[in-house]
Amino acid sequence: MFLPISKKEMKERGWDTADFIYVIGDAYVDHSSFGPAIISRTLEAHGYKVAIISQPDYKDSASIRALGKPRLGFLVSAGNMDSMVNHYTVNKKRRHEDAYTPGGKAGKRPDNATICYCQMIRKEFGNDMPIIIGGIEASLRRLAHYDYWADKYKKSILLDSGADLLIYGMGELATVEVVDALNSGIAIRDITYVAGTAYNARNLDTVYDCIMLPSYDECLVDRSKYAESFRIQHMNTDSISGKTLVEQYGSHRFVIQNPPMRPLTTMELDDVYELPYENRWHPSYDKLGGVPAFGDIKFSLTANRGCFGGCSFCAITFHQGRVLQARSKESLLKEAKWMIEQPDFKGYIYDVGGPTADFDHPACEKQKKYGVCQNKQCLYPEVCPNMKVDHKGYVEVLRELRKLPGVKKVFIRSGIRFDYVLKDRDDTFLRELIKYHISGQLRVAPEHVTDHVLDLMGKPRCEVYNRFCKKFEKINKELKKDQYLVPYLISSHPGSDLNDAIALAEAIRDMGYMPEQVQDFYPTPSTVSTVMYYTGLDPRTMKKVRSAHDMHEKAMQRALLQYKKPENYELVKEALIKAKRQDLIGFDEKCLIPPRKINFQEKKPKRIERSIERKGKKKPAKYKKKV
């Protein structure tokens, strides 16, 4: 049974009121890939009545009263995506579709949805109503941050929204602890001790063993202070070694971030994914075209959480953490067997993975006791010698899934770390990946080719990717497969200039492959790369980094990655001339574009014809024929 989204559905359950009302920016899809469904079902499993208001009319605050007044408070989430990323392209142009809305219709949620929904609640229910915010939007904006769309340094979302408490990260354990405290009669303002939460206060009387970050006012004046602040934040994302962080606003306001909540155990993670989800969108969306984002997710398996990859442009480590959490083989097989029984299952499991598919255990044994290293990355600049590189568990899961009656093919569509794969002395995983789990192509993410840009990205050097390409090709030939790699590439990442973009274009030329899609760097909240973009400094080293802020330069860098497209010709030519690389304009096989052709057969004869007519002379014979 779905959780109620209307008064009628509440009455069908025999409820007069809900303990919590969860306001979400997405359509209600009751599936474990959707954060609000996980939190709602987790609370339900602990005995709480949760009702959902999905995509309320943000132009009418009274719409937040649709389910009445909750007994304990409101939960608020913008949804599975940051609402601004959901709404705008990297060029800040409005998107025309929203995959998390029924029928893919755009415009059903506001910009800065978390803030808007909280303001609606405050207007209708007053300041005494407890409001708890969470989800990716709140999590990545829990402290002061750079907002790309407004192009300004913003305060913690706690202050702008007026919420009482913020739960960051995945949130199951923290949410239950907070809710139990509220249910026991503790006032929301006194729930200041829960790991994985942030709150605001007028003083620091009850805060101990904390790190004072540079204040908001300092960071607003001096961007290097924000780089320094983020470096400290980035070093304290582990539940074992992380400290309480304090950020001051003015003279009498503080935002306090408690240390992260511990990761879930395998048993706890299994329990989360085995809650009684309906595994489909709410039936009220059937006539509206369903929810496009659900798509292949229904027949995909989430195998893990967290990532020790440490890519600078990715927010996963800031949200889910670097400690890998994995489900058991038994839990994955149980979900797969349920899939097979569904009438619309066609025999294909579309993915078995997570942030990185082939990570299925913590990076090393030390993490379990001491937490993650604060000043070191697991895979950058090279794979740490302490890392346990082993694909045996993942291979076993894939083999068991392939054996299930009714399964034709098991795909792996989540990314894999090719440097991690290369470090495995046993080629079994790569061989079985190529033989069974891809269909013609494997998507990998080298991202760039110039080493200094890759260093800023936290990615392995180009020669590592080249070694992987050779190994991939070798095994394909041995298995008599005709398959190829499709690289993900990023343009205009901090540190990249036109020369770097041209080097990447030349690499694409030499690959003999023209990417259909490329990603222009998108400065989303709370990533290392976004801090570089805003401050001009690498927060890890405090060294200067040059970034492309001019939209025209960004357009040129992006166009170079698809230099064969006719619509990109002028941008590519301008970039090559500006970089003094006219040697790449011509007809040689190494050239990116030819000189622009002029149709003299149409234009020149007409000019000569008009000139002859003015002089009263006859047309030359050689032009008569062409005209």
Side-chain angles (χ1 to χ4, degrees), residues 45-207:
H46 282 79
Y48 294 100
K49 297 184 290 186
V50 182
I52 292 175
I53 296 179
S54 170
Q55 299 184 322
D57 181 358
Y58 61 91
K59 297 176 182 177
D60 179 10
S61 63
S63 64
I64 215 76
R65 287 187 171 274
L67 303 183
K69 184 178 180 180
R71 182 175 70 90
L72 293 173
F74 278 90
L75 307 173
V76 176
S77 169
N80 266 20
M81 288 178 67
D82 184 286
S83 59
M84 300 304 286
V85 177
N86 179 282
H87 283 171
Y88 298 97
T89 69
V90 66
N91 295 321
K92 301 183 181 180
K93 294 181 180 178
R94 193 84 182 189
R95 299 188 196 273
H96 300 298
E97 295 179 345
D98 182 346
Y100 291 90
T101 294
K105 186 178 180 181
K108 295 291 286 185
R109 83 182 79 210
D111 287 356
N112 300 301
T114 303
I115 294 172
C116 180
Y117 294 152
C118 288
Q119 291 174 346
M120 292 168 67
I121 294 166
R122 284 282 177 249
K123 182 177 179 180
E124 295 297 320
F125 292 96
N127 293 330
D128 293 333
M129 174 60 68
I131 301 177
I132 304 164
I133 58 176
I136 191 77
E137 181 167 280
S139 184
L140 299 184
R141 298 169 183 265
R142 57 190 184 256
L143 295 169
H145 56 279
Y146 170 67
D147 185 275
Y148 172 68
W149 304 273
D151 192 24
K152 63 186 290 187
Y153 187 60
K154 283 193 171 183
K155 298 176 181 179
S156 163
I157 196 170
L158 264 171
L159 301 181
D160 286 339
S161 67
D164 297 292
L165 196 65
L166 183 154
I167 296 175
Y168 67 89
M170 298 306 284
E172 295 95 345
L173 296 176
T175 301
V176 170
E177 189 171 347
V178 167
V179 165
D180 283 347
L182 273 176
N183 191 47
S184 69
I186 300 175
I188 188 74
R189 64 178 177 274
D190 295 326
I191 305 175
T192 61
Y193 51 84
V194 178
T197 66
Y199 61 98
N200 72 87
R202 293 288 183 181
N203 57 63
L204 300 177
D205 293 348
T206 59
V207 180

Side-chain angles (χ1 to χ4, degrees), residues 171-398:
E172 295 95 345
L173 296 176
T175 301
V176 170
E177 189 171 347
V178 167
V179 165
D180 283 347
L182 273 176
N183 191 47
S184 69
I186 300 175
I188 188 74
R189 64 178 177 274
D190 295 326
I191 305 175
T192 61
Y193 51 84
V194 178
T197 66
Y199 61 98
N200 72 87
R202 293 288 183 181
N203 57 63
L204 300 177
D205 293 348
T206 59
V207 180
Y208 306 97
D209 191 23
C210 66
I211 297 175
M212 291 295 298
L213 299 173
S215 71
Y216 172 78
D217 295 330
E218 287 179 294
C219 295
L220 197 60
V221 174
D222 183 352
R223 294 186 182 188
S224 69
K225 291 292 184 181
Y226 175 50
E228 179 186 332
S229 174
F230 189 82
R231 179 181 61 81
I232 298 169
Q233 296 173 43
H234 197 255
M235 291 168 60
N236 286 273
T237 56
D238 179 71
S239 62
I240 296 175
S241 59
K243 300 288 187 182
T244 299
L245 305 179
V246 177
E247 190 172 63
Q248 186 169 353
Y249 293 80
S251 56
H252 298 293
R253 174 75 70 173
F254 303 90
V255 170
I256 299 101
Q257 176 190 299
N258 289 324
M261 178 59 77
R262 67 168 176 83
L264 296 180
T265 64
T266 294
M267 184 180 293
E268 288 170 333
L269 195 59
D270 286 350
D271 288 344
V272 165
Y273 282 88
E274 292 174 17
L275 290 168
Y277 305 101
E278 289 292 327
N279 292 310
R280 57 193 179 103
W281 56 67
H282 192 276
S284 62
Y285 307 142
D286 288 344
K287 293 182 180 179
L288 300 175
V291 182
F294 191 44
D296 295 343
I297 289 174
K298 181 176 181 180
F299 298 121
S300 295
L301 295 168
T302 300
N304 61 61
R305 281 184 184 176
C307 183
F308 48 79
C311 300
S312 302
F313 46 81
C314 180
I316 288 172
T317 53
F318 203 71
H319 180 59
Q320 295 188 4
R322 286 170 57 188
V323 177
L324 208 289
Q325 305 151 67
R327 291 171 66 184
S328 69
K329 178 181 69 175
E330 292 73 22
S331 178
L332 291 167
L333 289 172
K334 182 178 179 180
E335 186 174 349
K337 289 174 182 176
W338 172 88
M339 289 179 180
I340 293 167
E341 294 172 358
Q342 303 311 301
D344 52 343
F345 181 71
K346 306 298 182 184
Y348 301 100
I349 295 176
Y350 292 108
D351 191 22
V352 183
T356 302
D358 54 326
F359 292 172
D360 70 340
H361 54 268
C364 68
E365 292 299 317
K366 291 184 177 182
Q367 286 188 352
K368 298 177 182 178
K369 186 175 181 180
Y370 304 108
V372 300
C373 300
Q374 289 189 325
N375 295 307
K376 293 180 181 179
Q377 292 292 323
C378 299
L379 294 174
Y380 174 81
E382 57 187 21
V383 178
C384 176
N386 292 319
M387 178 169 285
K388 180 185 176 184
V389 181
D390 184 2
H391 288 91
K392 291 185 180 67
Y394 190 45
V395 168
E396 187 178 344
V397 168
L398 295 172

